Amino acid sequence: MRRKLVLWSLQQGIWRRAAFLLADTVLIALSLYLAFLLRFDAHIPSHFLDMFFLTLPLALALKIPLLVLFRMYRFSWAYVGMEELYNTGLACAVGSLAFAAVLFLLRHWPAVSGMPRSVLGIDFAFTLIGLGGIRLSKRAVRHAFTRTRGSQGNGGRRTLIVGAGEAGEQLVRGILREKKTGFWPVGFVDDDPVKKGLLIHGVQVLGPKERLADFIRTKQVEAVIIAMPSAPSRTIRTTVDLARKGGVQEIKIIPFFSELYTGEIKVSEIREVQPEDLLGREQISIDTQAIEHFLRGKTVLITGAAGSIGSELCRQALRFGSAQLFALDIDETGLFNLEQELQRRFPGHKAQILVGDVRDRERIAAI
């Protein structure tokens, strides 16, 4: 079963990359043709049409390998972000510069002499728009579908998010992305006056926390989520009191440690407010610079990597810039799931999955 699952995953990955490779080939060819077409006002002279057909194989031979080099076919299509778009732009820029450099070296060859420089600039613009657009398409469609469909169609409760910072933004993004969370965000509450009226993923910042009870009544709120992982207990007590004054009984919170250790807020981490959240607690400060200095550029081996602690250590090792990660465990299924997650969250990092028992001396020595 495990082997079939791995083979199926590999086949899916191969088909996905082949589809992207074919799409990129078509887009690169189309971009160059449109560049000639735009340069000559939709009437390409025969000499320059021949030049297009002659230079097209050169453009493909230069740009496609560079896309592979920049790991463009290792992106997770559904989770393209700023880092992936930056790499896309960089790959397009290097490819266009390489194309221009080779044409410059061949400038004395009659077949390509007189190549309009504007064609190269237009070609770069169309290539960047095309390659970036196709990689953003799935996320854009999913986002539009999610916003249109809404969690209310799945029984989502009208929810106010207290805290319009990074934690709140990640929380709302997760709620909108996942199909069935049980929540539907109808507004943010934040004390920062600069944020009032802003839209975050289409959800408006309504105003300060002191008006929480009013917002609950006007927005017909059914649940409140406190998205302030590092807030002191006094702030949490005040927020809970205001929510209850507004008539809301379902009050949830993001745990204090979730943001500190993962750097990412997940919807699954939301839980009920507990007595210890309302009591005083010491502020914990983690020296992330020291951790990064210790891990960056190093090869790291983590045993028990498929467990909850081990998998989190793997995430942190990659997050803080380890050069190479080896994840060891005897749980093949757990390692498979970990590998899929690491590839999605850290597409540009190296992580090697190893199946083995720490009690096996020969295996450990070989590693």
Side-chain angles (χ1 to χ4, degrees):
M1 184 67 181
R2 154 71 178 170
R3 184 170 297 176
K4 289 182 180 179
L5 188 62
V6 173
L7 288 175
W8 180 84
S9 178
L10 289 174
Q11 289 174 352
Q12 289 293 106
I14 291 173
W15 280 111
R16 183 178 65 84
R17 291 173 186 175
F20 265 116
L21 185 63
L22 178 61
D24 288 346
T25 301
V26 173
L27 285 170
I28 290 172
L30 184 62
S31 297
L32 186 59
Y33 178 74
L34 289 176
F36 274 98
L37 200 66
L38 189 61
R39 168 62 178 79
F40 294 103
D41 298 325
H43 298 287
I44 307 175
S46 59
H47 168 68
F48 288 103
L49 189 61
D50 292 339
M51 186 182 295
F52 161 73
F53 286 111
L54 189 63
T55 56
L56 177 58
L58 176 63
L60 293 172
L62 289 171
K63 294 182 180 182
I64 293 296
L66 282 170
L67 295 178
V68 176
L69 183 64
F70 278 87
R71 299 176 176 268
M72 296 288 291
Y73 302 109
R74 293 184 177 272
F75 291 175
S76 174
W77 194 16
Y79 300 99
V80 172
M82 289 304 299
E83 182 177 353
E84 288 77 17
L85 290 179
Y86 172 78
N87 284 339
T88 302
L90 192 60
C92 291
V94 173
S96 294
L97 287 173
F99 184 43
V102 173
L103 289 177
F104 177 77
L105 294 175
L106 298 175
R107 65 187 183 279
H108 298 301
W109 187 21
V112 296
S113 63
M115 176 75 160
R117 284 176 291 181
S118 58
V119 167
L120 300 177
I122 299 171
D123 171 58
F124 166 70
F126 279 132
T127 302
L128 179 61
I129 293 170
L131 299 189
I134 195 173
R135 283 161 174 79
L136 271 176
S137 59
K138 184 174 182 179
R139 182 169 179 177
V141 170
R142 285 183 60 184
H143 178 74
F145 178 76
T146 302
R147 290 297 303 176
T148 303
R149 184 178 179 181
S151 293
Q152 286 182 313
N154 296 321
R157 299 176 295 287
R158 296 176 65 84
T159 304
L160 272 183
I161 311 298
V162 180
E166 185 174 348
E169 180 273 326
Q170 291 184 23
L171 177 62
V172 169
R173 189 199 320 158
I175 291 174
L176 296 177
R177 183 175 62 225
E178 298 180 20
K179 294 182 180 179
K180 295 182 179 180
T181 63
F183 303 103
W184 179 244
V186 296
F188 283 100
V189 175
D190 198 283
D191 288 336
D192 187 351
V194 177
K195 295 180 180 178
K196 184 178 179 180
L198 293 179
L199 293 176
I200 302 175
H201 299 300
V203 181
Q204 187 177 14
V205 181
L206 302 175
K209 188 167 66 273
E210 62 185 23
R211 295 190 57 200
L212 179 59
D214 295 334
F215 297 142
I216 289 172
R217 285 188 285 269
T218 57
K219 290 289 185 178
Q220 299 178 340
V221 172
E222 302 170 88
V224 170
I225 301 177
I226 303 173
M228 300 182 292
S230 58
S233 57
R234 181 173 58 184
T235 301
I236 295 175
R237 284 198 303 270
T238 302
T239 304
V240 171
D241 290 341
L242 289 171
R244 287 175 177 164
K245 189 178 296 183
V248 170
Q249 298 301 316
E250 185 177 1
I251 306 171
K252 296 186 180 293
I253 192 171
I254 294 174
F256 178 52
F257 292 103
S258 60
E259 187 179 35
L260 291 175
Y261 287 114
T262 65
E264 180 179 350
I265 301 299
K266 300 178 182 177
V267 180
S268 59
E269 293 176 336
I270 299 172
R271 60 166 172 78
E272 298 285 346
V273 176
Q274 299 175 359
E276 53 265 30
D277 297 316
L278 306 177
L279 301 175
R281 60 187 178 189
E282 296 181 3
Q283 184 76 21
I284 296 177
S285 177
I286 297 178
D287 190 349
T288 56
Q289 290 185 344
I291 297 174
E292 182 176 6
H293 179 73
F294 178 74
L295 290 175
R296 180 164 294 278
K298 294 183 179 179
T299 299
V300 179
L301 169 65
I302 296 176
T303 61
S308 57
I309 296 177
S311 60
E312 187 56 44
L313 289 174
C314 291
R315 298 182 196 103
Q316 296 307 315
L318 293 179
R319 177 191 173 197
F320 286 108
S322 61
Q324 177 76 51
L325 171 67
F326 292 97
L328 174 71
D329 204 290
I330 59 174
D331 183 358
E332 294 186 24
T333 303
L335 284 175
F336 174 77
N337 294 332
L338 176 65
E339 183 179 24
Q340 296 300 304
E341 179 189 352
L342 295 180
Q343 286 179 353
R344 176 179 66 82
R345 293 181 59 178
F346 305 97
H349 294 74
K350 296 180 179 179
Q352 185 170 345
I353 302 301
L354 302 173
V355 179
D357 192 331
V358 292
R359 295 171 296 182
D360 186 343
R361 293 188 178 182
E362 294 183 0
R363 175 63 171 154
I364 297 300
I367 293 173

